[in-house]
């Protein structure tokens, strides 16, 4: 294939992956809707004859929600495969690593988040994260379309092997932050419902809040050293060679630092008795918001030296 | 006499207590978390308000756009957030809090390193995970198997003399070690950054092709240094820019995007040494003893020759035109103080690839490469004001004491030159676009002790990984020899210093391993 064909293929694959991911998201939404409906019909039955018929109603209905969940995961897997193809062909078209600008970063970052999620589905059975992860992924891919640039070579500042190291580490950390934030959102919703005793049919499909808290912590604990390496070691080393100083409070640097500080706060909060649970989860979400801002917001609002990444 | 003395002592005591209370507050985790968040919040404004150290020109523009707000923000330090008193106060407090937290923990850790594993609790079933089994092996064999199964943990075996032997094991000392290393490394990084900014220097200089630079203060266009840096310490290197190469994408969707910037230089590291060649490009600085030279920008410098009314060449030099945008539309100024009868000043633009956008409309540049270079100038005569004793920028024409030169219609006299073209000037003399050169904008910088923050942050990450991954665990094995040939009773309990859900499963695995070590494969009998 010629470079143009690779580029074309990458674009088509990206759009296809977005569509498939949208279908995956719909499957998970349908799963929740069905769970709600099943609960409602159960309640109606109980009301009718006063007996507990939950078991009888469960038997045929439960597989339907399970099937939808499995369809969602399968579609997410398909989307991930197509996205991998899109990222790879993008790299072939541009003849370099496929994360040289915002558009490519969004694609590759979503790809990593999806792959991390799918691995966790196999090892830890986190299908329940599907709706959140596919929804988030859809948003990021959508935002990436708005930053589309044709495949091509990079400006001289990016001609460095540190592009591979710095951006890959930051992207991997970002993918993990996304999974951790999804678990924290669910933790907050579910733990509140648990406290009030209002765990509804949809929330019941998610595991207990303690488990989600644990998963969020594990994922963020893995992401934090990666983020430290990517943004506070690899970034400054590259900045030294490219711009003649290792740290200059460029807006991107400021926000990378803020993200680091907030996630450091999260890890401490998690280890401190009075801050466990809800407050730690809030820390995690603030951290993810600052990460999103350093990834996307800084390029939109500020100028700064990272502006070529637009 | 005694009463006031007692009173004084009492107040002394209470103030000491107050200080101690303050210290405890400051070093508490809650305060540290609060300071961490505060640091994050305090860092935010610096990313929205232009910073002096980052972009001086943006600060000046901000002052023009916000004439009332800017002085207030300035007084509050918002244009240099990261060296402002309030930002410094937060991170210094955080550092004190950190040190106040770390030092006591270090002594605790040092004591823990020397300490033996603690004795077993009386009741194993109260531990988060425990189990027991009976086996025909002797107590001694059980203890040896326990040592093997526990691997590299710190182990004590204590015989109480009544037939019960206790094995105490503790592992995971690296967790707290990693934790301490991580926090100490933050201090190391900050010390390194401080050293770098106190003794470091950074300067920028514009050198046209063929031009040279020797590393002395007067040669810099911009220069800043740490308070402890002495300009005498500038290393005595020098270099000449032989060629400045700039290539752009000639076609395709990214037409005009930069492809390569490279400055070919000949440098002499110390006076008297042989000159050497080097190619400086982005990501590839010239590293010399005491400073590195980075290529941070480039642009065009048309060589202009001006003759005055007497016919004498009064100006011939490459004039730096500063780029204003990505198409390298550039602006520049020519000052001719030696012209007769009056001083002459020119101000105008340079277009690397000029295209006329219509009759009478001004030309614009459509490509950053020099395909169709054009210099456009207007002319002033009078007093350049160079002798007023006030320092002037070479990029600004002071027009207070000058009059614009007009054509016969009273319109400003426009000069438009392609390379090789000459324009006769009103009142005699001429201006010629002799040649087109490029200039390189180079940054010379030295940050002493730069490896210190790097080593610090790298050690920090390793410590961090250890503190997040290592699982400290205490394990106890108690074995009681059976009387009259009945089997030995083995009890096992474990306690995680950082609670983990997997502990019960892992203690099951441990029990199985222990029995395997003892050569027993019968199924487990009981687990509490």
């Amino acid at each position: 294939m010629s470079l143009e064909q690779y580029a074309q293929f990458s674009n088509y694959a990206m759009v296809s992956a977005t569509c498939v991911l949208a279908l995956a998201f719909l499957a998970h939404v349908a799963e929740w809707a069905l769970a709600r409906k099943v609960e409602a019909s159960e309640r109606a039955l109980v009301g009718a004859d006063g007996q507990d018929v939950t078991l009888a109603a469960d038997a045929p209905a439960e597989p339907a929600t399970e099937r939808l969940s499995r369809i969602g995961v399968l579609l997410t897997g398909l989307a991930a495969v197509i996205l991998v193809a899109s990222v790879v062909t993008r790299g072939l078209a541009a003849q370099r690593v496929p994360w040289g600008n915002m558009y490519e970063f969004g694609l590759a970052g979503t790809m990593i988040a999806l792959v991390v999620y799918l691995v966790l589905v196999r090892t830890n059975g986190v299908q329940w994260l599907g709706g959140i992860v596919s929804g988030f992924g859809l948003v990021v891919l959508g935002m990436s379309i708005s930053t589309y640039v044709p495949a091509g070579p990079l400006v001289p500042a990016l001609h460095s092997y540190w592009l591979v190291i710095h951006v890959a580490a930051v992207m991997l950390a970002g993918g993990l932050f996304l999974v951790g934030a999804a678990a924290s959102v669910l933790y907050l919703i579910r733990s509140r419902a648990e406290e009030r005793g209002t765990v509804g049919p949809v929330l019941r499909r998610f595991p207990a809040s303690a488990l989600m808290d644990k998963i969020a912590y594990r994922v963020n604990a893995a992401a934090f050293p990666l983020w430290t390496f990517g943004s506070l070691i690899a970034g400054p080393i590259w900045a030294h060679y490219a711009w003649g100083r290792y740290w200059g409070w460029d807006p991107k640097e400021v926000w990378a630092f803020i993200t680091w500080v907030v996630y450091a706060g999260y890890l401490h909060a998690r280890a401190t008795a009075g801050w466990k649970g809800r407050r730690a989860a809030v820390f995690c979400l603030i951290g993810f918001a600052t990460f999103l801002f350093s990834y996307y917001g800084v390029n939109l609002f500020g100028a700064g030296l990272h502006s070529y990444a637009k | 006499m005694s009463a006031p003395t007692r009173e004084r002592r009492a107040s002394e005591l209470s103030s000491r207590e107050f200080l101690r209370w303050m210290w405890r507050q400051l070093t508490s985790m809650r305060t540290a978390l609060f300071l961490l968040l505060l640091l994050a919040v305090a860092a935010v404004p610096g990313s929205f308000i232009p910073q002096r150290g980052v972009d001086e020109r943006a600060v000046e523009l901000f002052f023009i756009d916000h004439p009332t707000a800017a002085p207030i923000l300035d007084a509050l330090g918002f244009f240099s957030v990261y060296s402002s008193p309030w930002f410094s106060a937060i991170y210094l407090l955080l550092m004190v809090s950190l040190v106040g937290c770390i030092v006591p923990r270090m002594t605790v850790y040092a004591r823990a390193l020397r300490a033996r594993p603690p004795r077993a609790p009386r009741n194993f079933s109260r531990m988060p995970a425990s189990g027991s089994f009976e086996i025909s092996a002797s107590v001694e064999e059980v203890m040896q198997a326990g040592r093997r199964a526990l691997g590299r943990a710190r182990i004590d075996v204590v015989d109480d003399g009544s037939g019960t032997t206790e094995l105490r094991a503790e592992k995971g000392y690296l967790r707290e070690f990693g934790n301490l290393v991580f926090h100490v490394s933050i201090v190391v990084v900050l010390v390194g950054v401080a050293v770098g900014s106190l003794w470091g220097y950074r300067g920028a200089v514009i050198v046209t092709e063929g031009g040279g630079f020797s590393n002395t203060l007067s040669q810099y266009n911009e220069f800043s240094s740490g308070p402890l840096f002495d300009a005498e310490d500038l290393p005595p290197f020098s270099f000449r820019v032989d060629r400045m190469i700039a290539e752009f994408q000639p076609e395709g969707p990214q037409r005009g995007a930069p492809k390569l910037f490279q400055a070919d230089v000949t440098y002499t590291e110390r006076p008297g040494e042989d000159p050497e060649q080097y190619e400086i490009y982005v990501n590839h600085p010239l590293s010399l003893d005491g400073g590195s030279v980075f290529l941070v920008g480039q642009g065009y410098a048309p060589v202009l020759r001006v003759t005055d009314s007497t016919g004498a060449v009064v100006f011939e030099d490459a004039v730096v035109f500063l780029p204003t945008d990505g198409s390298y539309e550039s602006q520049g100024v020519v000052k001719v103080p030696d012209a007769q009868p009056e001083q002459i000043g020119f101000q105008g633009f340079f277009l690397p690839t000029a295209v006329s956008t219509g009759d009478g409309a001004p030309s614009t540049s459509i490509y950053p490469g020099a395909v169709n270079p054009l210099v456009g100038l207007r002319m002033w005569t009078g007093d350049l004001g160079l002798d007023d004793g006030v320092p002037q920028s070479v990029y600004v024409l002071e027009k207070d004491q000058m009059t614009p030169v007009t054509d016969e219609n009273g319109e400003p006299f426009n000069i438009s030159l392609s390379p090789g073209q000459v324009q006769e000037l009103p009142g005699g003399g001429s201006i010629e676009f002799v040649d087109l050169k490029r200039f390189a904008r180079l940054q010379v910088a030295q940050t002493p002790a730069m490896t210190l923050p790097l080593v610090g942050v790298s050690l920090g990450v390793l410590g961090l990984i250890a503190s997040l991954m290592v699982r400290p665990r205490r394990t106890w094995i108690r074995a009681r020899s059976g009387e009259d040939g009945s089997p030995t009773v083995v009890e096992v309990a474990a306690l995680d210093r950082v609670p983990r859900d997997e502990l019960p499963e892992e203690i099951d695995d441990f029990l199985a391993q222990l029995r395997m070590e003892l050569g027993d494969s019968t199924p487990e009998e009981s687990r509490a």
Side-chain angles (χ1 to χ4, degrees):
Chain A
M1 279 206 277
S2 71
L3 296 188
E4 285 78 19
Q5 282 168 319
Y6 276 129
Q8 190 75 290
F9 180 88
S10 171
N11 291 350
Y12 286 146
M14 188 270 179
V15 174
S16 314
T18 310
C19 295
V20 175
L21 198 60
L23 290 178
F25 178 63
L26 285 180
H28 286 295
V29 170
E31 172 199 343
W32 295 336
L34 191 66
R36 186 178 287 262
K37 215 171 109 192
V38 167
E39 170 109 344
S41 63
E42 271 168 29
R43 215 174 280 144
L45 279 170
V46 174
D49 57 9
Q51 283 179 335
D52 186 8
V53 290
T54 314
L55 277 174
D58 256 2
E62 198 54 30
T65 50
E66 287 311 310
R67 210 179 310 136
L68 278 170
S69 166
R70 221 179 41 245
I71 290 172
V73 172
L74 282 175
L75 285 172
T76 310
L78 182 63
V81 169
I82 303 174
L83 204 52
V84 168
S86 173
V87 169
V88 169
T89 47
R90 177 82 182 184
L92 291 171
Q95 299 182 293
R96 56 177 169 76
V97 288
W99 49 75
N101 50 47
M102 285 278 282
Y103 169 77
E104 292 166 5
F105 189 93
L107 255 62
T110 310
M111 180 191 87
I112 288 172
L114 292 186
V115 169
V116 167
Y117 158 73
L118 290 167
V119 167
L120 286 178
V121 166
R122 277 207 84 92
T123 59
N124 293 35
V126 295
Q127 292 88 326
W128 46 271
L129 266 176
I132 303 275
V133 168
S134 56
F136 254 131
L138 207 54
V139 171
V140 177
L141 285 184
M143 291 199 306
S144 303
I145 292 175
S146 75
T147 55
Y148 175 79
V149 284
L154 296 171
V155 297
L158 296 177
H159 294 177
S160 169
Y161 58 88
W162 285 104
L163 173 71
V164 183
I165 302 165
H166 167 66
V167 185
V170 164
M171 209 160 48
L172 200 55
L176 290 168
F177 281 152
L178 168 64
V179 176
S184 280
V185 168
L186 291 173
Y187 166 81
L188 282 178
I189 297 171
R190 165 104 195 196
S191 71
R192 205 167 97 184
E194 279 171 7
E195 268 167 36
R196 294 183 179 171
T198 56
V199 180
V202 176
L203 283 181
R204 211 166 293 145
R205 298 197 58 76
F206 296 105
S209 59
L211 178 65
M212 294 196 279
D213 184 44
K214 200 175 81 185
I215 287 176
Y217 172 71
R218 293 249 171 108
V219 172
N220 285 325
F224 186 68
L226 263 174
W227 181 258
T228 312
F229 171 76
S231 64
L232 300 184
I233 296 180
I237 293 176
W238 189 11
H240 167 72
Y241 287 111
W243 302 324
R245 86 288 185 288
Y246 61 83
W247 192 266
W249 297 108
D250 176 68
K252 202 91 164 180
E253 293 172 344
V254 172
W255 280 92
F257 171 73
I258 292 172
T259 304
W260 185 84
V261 164
V262 176
Y263 273 103
Y266 166 77
L267 292 180
H268 283 92
R270 196 63 179 40
T272 310
W275 287 70
K276 266 198 180 124
R278 174 130 352 133
R279 288 198 216 185
V282 169
F283 250 110
C284 166
L285 291 181
I286 297 174
F288 187 64
T290 61
F291 164 73
L292 276 188
F293 193 82
S294 51
Y295 152 53
Y296 204 72
V298 168
N299 289 59
L300 288 190
F301 298 116
L305 287 164
H306 281 83
S307 54
Y308 49 72
K310 254 180 199 168
Chain B
M1 272 311 276
S2 63
T5 317
R6 206 177 299 139
E7 205 177 275
R8 190 171 58 82
R9 275 189 189 152
S11 75
E12 224 174 42
L13 197 67
S14 73
S15 72
R16 195 187 301 157
E17 270 169 0
F18 176 73
L19 281 177
R20 181 173 292 188
W21 177 81
M22 282 284 286
W23 179 251
R24 232 179 255 143
Q25 289 298 308
L26 183 62
T27 55
S28 76
M29 182 68 100
R30 186 181 293 262
T31 310
L33 277 175
F34 175 72
L35 287 171
L36 257 181
L37 264 197
L38 198 62
L39 188 68
V41 171
V44 172
S47 69
F48 292 107
I49 299 170
Q51 297 295 297
R52 287 232 161 79
V54 180
D55 194 346
E56 190 78 37
R57 268 162 68 182
V59 175
E60 283 166 20
L61 277 178
F62 192 92
F63 265 85
I64 294 166
D65 293 344
H66 307 87
T68 37
I72 300 168
L73 289 173
D74 195 17
L76 294 173
F78 274 94
F79 295 109
S80 42
V81 165
Y82 307 106
S83 53
S84 70
W86 42 275
F87 191 80
S88 313
I90 296 169
Y91 79 72
L92 286 178
L93 273 178
L94 192 60
M95 280 306 113
V96 172
S97 166
L98 192 103
V99 171
C101 181
I102 286 302
V103 170
R105 276 178 82 160
M106 278 173 146
T107 53
V108 168
Y109 182 68
R111 222 175 293 138
L113 274 184
R114 284 196 305 272
R116 302 312 306 174
R119 53 192 306 169
R122 187 161 303 174
N123 191 348
F124 274 18
S125 62
R126 287 212 184 140
M127 288 291 105
S130 61
S132 69
F133 60 89
E134 293 186 345
I135 198 155
S136 55
S138 73
V139 169
E140 183 62 26
E141 283 167 338
V142 171
M143 291 301 141
Q144 275 169 6
R147 277 182 192 277
R148 284 196 299 274
L150 284 163
R152 301 198 324 187
R154 179 172 296 180
I155 295 169
D156 276 352
V157 175
V158 180
D159 188 347
D160 73 347
S162 65
T164 305
T165 303
E166 192 175 288
L167 184 150
R168 309 159 178 170
E170 180 152 17
K171 71 175 182 75
Y173 289 85
L174 262 181
R175 182 188 187 91
E176 180 66 1
F177 181 73
N179 196 8
L180 291 170
V181 164
F182 173 66
H183 287 90
V184 168
S185 76
I186 292 178
V187 180
V188 172
V189 169
L190 274 184
V191 168
V193 170
V195 168
S197 57
L198 284 175
W199 279 276
Y201 72 90
R202 171 145 53 120
V205 60
I206 285 177
V207 186
T208 48
E209 285 173 306
F213 170 83
S214 60
N215 195 19
T216 54
L217 206 50
S218 60
Q219 295 249 321
Y220 283 99
N221 301 96
E222 292 164 33
F223 190 84
S224 63
S225 63
L228 298 179
F229 175 79
D230 185 354
E232 297 289 309
D233 297 339
L234 278 174
F237 60 77
S238 60
F239 59 81
R240 189 181 67 234
V241 175
D242 303 318
R243 203 157 67 108
M244 175 69 220
I245 304 165
E247 288 173 14
F248 302 90
Q249 299 294 341
E251 57 193 12
Q254 296 197 331
R255 182 170 182 275
K259 214 163 91 179
L260 172 73
F261 294 142
Q262 178 180 314
D264 294 348
V265 299
T266 307
Y267 70 95
T268 314
E269 187 151 11
R270 277 173 211 85
E273 282 184 15
D274 289 337
E276 292 186 57
Q277 308 258 316
Y278 194 81
E279 291 164 359
I280 305 178
Y281 48 90
V282 190
N283 290 312
H284 190 245
L286 168 63
S287 295
L288 297 171
D289 188 23
S292 300
V293 186
F294 304 85
L295 179 64
V296 293
Q298 66 99 34
Y300 293 97
V303 178
L304 300 175
R305 182 192 292 142
V306 180
T307 57
D308 67 2
S309 54
T310 66
V313 175
V314 282
F315 183 92
E316 181 165 11
D317 206 353
V319 181
V320 170
F321 279 65
L322 295 177
T324 56
D325 61 18
S327 73
Y328 281 79
E329 209 168 300
S330 312
Q331 291 184 341
V333 157
V334 187
K335 297 180 186 180
V336 191
D338 300 331
Q340 295 297 330
E342 271 184 310
Q343 293 186 331
I344 306 175
F346 300 94
Q347 181 182 327
F349 57 84
F350 171 80
L351 306 173
T353 302
V355 167
S356 179
T357 49
D359 201 28
S363 299
T364 55
S365 179
I366 54 158
Y367 183 71
V371 177
N372 180 30
L374 182 81
V375 172
L377 297 170
R378 282 183 183 171
M379 186 178 172
W380 280 261
T381 54
D383 184 358
L384 286 165
L386 291 171
D387 305 325
D388 296 352
V390 185
Q392 273 193 16
S393 164
V394 290
Y395 305 110
V396 178
L397 190 64
E398 299 289 342
K399 306 188 197 84
D400 295 349
Q401 304 166 61
M402 305 201 83
T403 40
V405 176
T406 51
D407 61 15
E408 53 272 23
N409 302 324
E411 299 287 320
F413 177 70
N414 283 328
I415 301 162
S416 187
L417 295 171
S418 297
Q421 286 187 332
V422 187
Q423 169 80 50
E424 298 299 324
L425 298 174
S430 65
I431 182 165
E432 182 183 355
F433 185 172
V434 181
D435 188 15
L436 181 61
K437 286 186 176 179
R438 292 177 197 270
F439 71 82
R441 213 176 105 82
L442 298 156
Q443 176 172 300
V444 183
Q446 164 76 337
T447 312
M450 202 165 56
T451 46
L452 197 57
L454 179 63
V455 168
V457 72
S458 305
L459 282 178
V461 167
L462 294 180
L464 184 67
I465 291 170
S467 79
L468 290 170
M469 304 297 165
V470 173
R471 307 162 192 173
R473 175 169 292 174
R474 286 175 178 167
T475 312
W476 296 278
I477 304 173
R478 190 152 55 203
R480 197 179 308 114
S481 59
E483 284 163 29
D484 309 330
S486 57
T488 302
V489 180
V490 181
E491 290 176 283
V492 175
L495 172 68
D496 275 353
R497 309 291 301 282
V498 183
R500 288 170 54 83
D501 298 341
E502 289 81 354
L503 181 58
E505 291 163 30
E506 287 174 12
I507 205 75
D508 284 350
D509 293 345
F510 179 71
L511 281 169
Q513 194 192 346
L514 198 56
R515 296 168 70 140
M516 211 179 68
E517 293 274 356
L518 289 164
D520 179 23
S521 55
T522 50
E524 148 186 25
E525 280 148 38
S526 79
R527 192 174 80 79

